Amino acid sequence: NAGVTQTPKFRVLKTGQSMTLLCAQDMNHEYMYWYRQDPGMGLRLIHYSVGEGTTAKGEVPDGYNVSRLKKQNFLLGLESAAPSQTSVYFCASSYLIGGAYNEQFFGPGTRLTVL
Amino acid sequence: GDSVTQMEGPVTLSEEAFLTINCTYTATGYPSLFWYVQYPGEGLQLLLKATKADDKGSNKGFEATYRKETTSFHLEKGSVQVSDSAVYFCALRVDSGNTPLVFGKGTRLSVIA
């Protein structure tokens, strides 16, 4: 199993450009998440999904959109990139067993720079 | 709302020193508590967890005890190694609905030989 993978690993954008970050998991997990990590801020939740075809806003959703068309994929889109979106983006997935919450598995991250 | 407060870093220790990283929480319900570790250039990995009061999570020599009376989940290790250098995140999840994890801001640990 590859676990959680993210594409691309690095990207540089100019202000106003758009891009999509892809997250894929091969563990058949129901839940998927997108976080951003900034110095001194820890991880902040952008959007998340509790199943195929469903998404919900997290703590910092503005400027981002997401889609979960397939259970194994969770896409994060930036329609018009801004320098404030320079960050490291992490995807994660998790599952429930018998109603008990289990750990989140994280991808290796995507480092995005917006000039 | 739910929140996690960790001691600010960076924390610098010599090899074989004792480590404590403080974590306290505020939660509206009865949370499960977690410690995650992030090694340089990598994503986060679960280090240990505890799901009810007085539970002790342990892994790789690290321990943390769920203290409901003090709303704390402090991370400890008796003898740190250079390979423990990483960022450590405390997190909680209130087990109701589909709420995601709430993370602290992280504590960077550097262990020097």
Side-chain angles (χ1 to χ4, degrees):
Chain A
N1 286 351
V4 180
T5 57
Q6 294 183 231
T7 308
K9 288 186 167 49
F10 303 93
R11 185 72 185 268
V12 178
L13 291 178
K14 294 182 179 177
T15 297
Q17 287 185 316
S18 63
M19 78 163 295
T20 300
L21 282 67
L22 171 64
C23 175
Q25 52 93 5
D26 60 0
M27 297 174 284
N28 202 35
H29 287 175
E30 287 293 331
Y31 302 97
M32 297 187 75
Y33 314 85
W34 275 108
Y35 294 89
R36 60 177 290 173
Q37 184 179 32
D38 303 293
M41 301 294 291
L43 272 79
R44 292 183 293 171
L45 183 66
I46 305 172
H47 286 280
Y48 65 102
S49 169
V50 299
E52 184 178 326
T54 69
T55 62
K57 293 181 180 179
E59 180 186 356
V60 288
D62 293 342
Y64 304 95
N65 57 76
V66 288
S67 64
R68 183 99 181 266
L69 299 180
K70 294 183 179 180
K71 186 177 183 179
Q72 63 268 35
N73 296 336
F74 195 30
L75 279 62
L76 178 70
L78 286 74
E79 290 187 349
S80 179
S84 60
Q85 295 178 303
T86 293
S87 187
V88 181
Y89 292 85
F90 288 99
C91 178
S93 69
S94 67
Y95 62 102
L96 290 175
I97 289 184
Y101 180 74
N102 289 278
E103 66 178 286
Q104 286 183 192
F105 293 80
F106 282 81
T110 295
R111 185 174 295 276
L112 175 66
T113 302
V114 182
L115 303 176
Chain B
D2 302 333
S3 66
V4 174
T5 302
Q6 290 180 237
M7 61 185 289
E8 291 198 18
V11 175
T12 302
L13 295 174
S14 297
E15 210 165 21
E16 299 183 2
F18 185 86
L19 168 70
T20 300
I21 300 178
N22 290 338
C23 171
T24 57
Y25 67 88
T26 302
T28 51
Y30 195 177
S32 295
L33 301 173
F34 305 81
W35 276 102
Y36 279 79
V37 59
Q38 183 181 30
Y39 298 104
E42 298 183 9
L44 279 71
Q45 306 171 25
L46 179 67
L47 181 60
L48 53 84
K49 68 179 181 183
T51 57
K52 60 183 187 296
D54 300 325
D55 268 3
K56 178 185 285 188
S58 61
N59 186 26
K60 299 182 181 180
F62 290 89
E63 294 183 339
T65 300
Y66 188 141
R67 301 289 187 198
K68 188 178 180 184
E69 64 275 14
T70 55
T71 62
S72 65
F73 193 53
H74 305 320
L75 182 68
E76 297 181 335
K77 186 174 185 182
S79 176
V80 294
Q81 306 299 313
V82 172
S83 57
D84 293 326
S85 297
V87 181
Y88 293 82
F89 291 89
C90 186
L92 70 80
R93 181 181 183 275
V94 177
D95 288 324
S96 58
N98 298 314
T99 54
L101 288 176
V102 174
F103 285 90
K105 293 186 177 181
T107 303
R108 182 177 298 279
L109 170 66
S110 294
V111 181
I112 54 178

